[in-house]
Amino acid sequence: MKFGMRKPSITKSLKARTTTKYKRKVKKALIPGYGKKGVGWIKNPKKAAYNKVYKKTSFSLWDLFK
């Protein structure tokens, strides 16, 4: 488990910012539950629990500027 600051990844950050709204619309139309809150707990509760703790115990470089 990671505690403290996460290592920044420029490629992942760029990928997240360039995913178009059209791609999300198509996925939402085809995949039931895509983008819905709480679906991760149903699909994979172990991973969802890990991610919740990870998000609370680590922070991003950009959080320092907020």
Side-chain angles (χ1 to χ4, degrees):
M1 180 60 61
K2 175 82 174 167
F3 292 97
M5 192 172 90
R6 294 189 294 270
K7 183 172 66 172
S9 172
I10 295 170
T11 55
K12 286 182 182 179
S13 179
L14 187 66
K15 177 74 175 172
R17 289 171 184 265
T18 57
T19 301
T20 62
K21 62 181 176 181
Y22 305 111
K23 188 175 183 179
R24 288 191 299 271
K25 270 189 176 180
V26 169
K27 279 191 169 187
K28 199 169 179 106
L30 296 176
I31 303 168
Y34 177 81
K36 299 268 193 306
K37 191 171 182 168
V39 175
W41 285 101
I42 298 166
K43 291 177 84 174
N44 194 343
K46 186 177 178 183
K47 185 177 180 182
Y50 174 88
N51 287 339
K52 184 165 185 144
V53 172
Y54 179 82
K55 185 154 173 53
K56 289 182 182 269
T57 59
S58 64
F59 58 91
S60 172
L61 175 70
W62 306 116
D63 291 340
L64 296 174
F65 298 114
K66 286 185 179 178

